[in-house]
Amino acid sequence: MGLPRDSFRILHVSTGNVCRSPITERLTRHAVRERLGILGGGLIVESAGTWGHEGAPMESHAETVLADFGADASGFTGRELLDEHVIRADLVLTATRDHRAQVISMGHSAGLRTFTLKEFTRLVKAIDPATLPPLEEGVVVRARALVRAAAALRGWLLAPTAEADEVYDPYGAPLTFFRSIGDEIHQALDPVVTALTGVPAKM
């Protein structure tokens, strides 16, 4: 199963796929494009929801948050999480531990490549970039090594609190709360994209 080895598919998962996971998907794409000047030489970034609003537009506040970061919100439609999404994904990043458990319960050997976003950030920060393949070998090779290294560290670097690995749902909340969630997601993504691309964010 799966795609040719010259691609690496990141799947962001939340509940409705209209707030958190669209923000995370589009911020990831934006950050990768900023670092590499392209959408990542084989990186494919998608999202879906465990109770996904199939075909629904992104929440308008989520669009505003993306605009704050200069990211593109256009052309988005919500998707319900399907087996095929999990099968194809090389890395699944979820908003919460419940989402992570739901993805893993779908099977498809998803356990070693499914993390909450904040959990993955914590693990990535502990990985020495010098131990990863250089970018000359390609983003895909580097990304696969990063996931293996993070999975190996998982039992050693536990969350300080259960809430530390959660990104809370802003659905129905005012724009100020959406913006705080957007900031949380942005801060969590930054070390991940730096590790994936080998390029730090421009100051």
Side-chain angles (χ1 to χ4, degrees):
M1 294 296 295
L3 290 162
R5 303 298 283 178
D6 60 354
S7 64
F8 183 91
R9 195 173 285 257
I10 301 170
L11 176 66
H12 293 296
V13 175
S14 63
T15 304
N17 194 213
V18 290
C19 300
R20 289 168 290 181
S21 49
I23 289 171
T24 317
E25 172 198 313
R26 294 305 176 93
L27 285 182
T28 304
R29 289 187 190 180
H30 179 69
V32 169
R33 197 177 280 118
E34 275 199 324
R35 315 290 171 97
L36 299 179
I38 53 171
L39 184 52
L43 285 184
I44 299 163
V45 185
E46 301 177 310
S47 62
T50 54
W51 292 89
H53 299 234
E54 189 72 35
M58 193 186 307
E59 281 288 297
S60 62
H61 285 346
E63 290 190 0
T64 302
V65 167
L66 289 173
D68 290 345
F69 289 104
D72 181 13
S74 65
F76 181 86
T77 52
R79 301 193 304 174
E80 183 169 355
L81 180 67
L82 302 175
D83 286 303
E84 66 193 58
H85 300 145
V86 176
I87 290 166
R88 288 200 310 242
D90 296 288
L91 172 61
V92 184
L93 296 175
T94 69
T96 68
R97 291 165 298 147
D98 280 349
H99 296 132
R100 182 184 64 196
Q102 284 179 266
V103 171
I104 291 170
S105 74
M106 293 170 76
H108 315 302
S109 307
L112 289 175
R113 51 198 167 89
T114 303
F115 308 80
T116 75
L117 170 62
K118 288 185 174 179
E119 173 191 22
F120 195 66
T121 302
R122 185 174 68 252
L123 298 171
V124 162
K125 282 178 166 177
I127 295 165
D128 180 354
T131 64
L132 298 172
L135 197 57
E136 292 75 43
E137 292 184 31
V139 175
V140 170
V141 171
R142 188 179 174 96
R144 293 188 195 286
L146 185 67
V147 172
R148 287 194 299 272
L153 279 175
R154 180 182 262 161
W156 300 94
L157 274 180
L158 302 177
T161 65
E163 287 69 37
D165 282 347
E166 305 280 290
V167 175
Y168 290 108
D169 191 354
Y171 187 77
L175 179 58
T176 50
F177 188 66
F178 266 82
R179 282 188 160 132
S180 72
I181 292 297
D183 286 340
E184 262 184 60
I185 291 170
H186 182 260
Q187 287 170 24
L189 279 174
D190 182 64
V192 172
V193 176
T194 298
L196 280 171
T197 62
V199 181
K202 298 183 181 79
M203 296 305 288

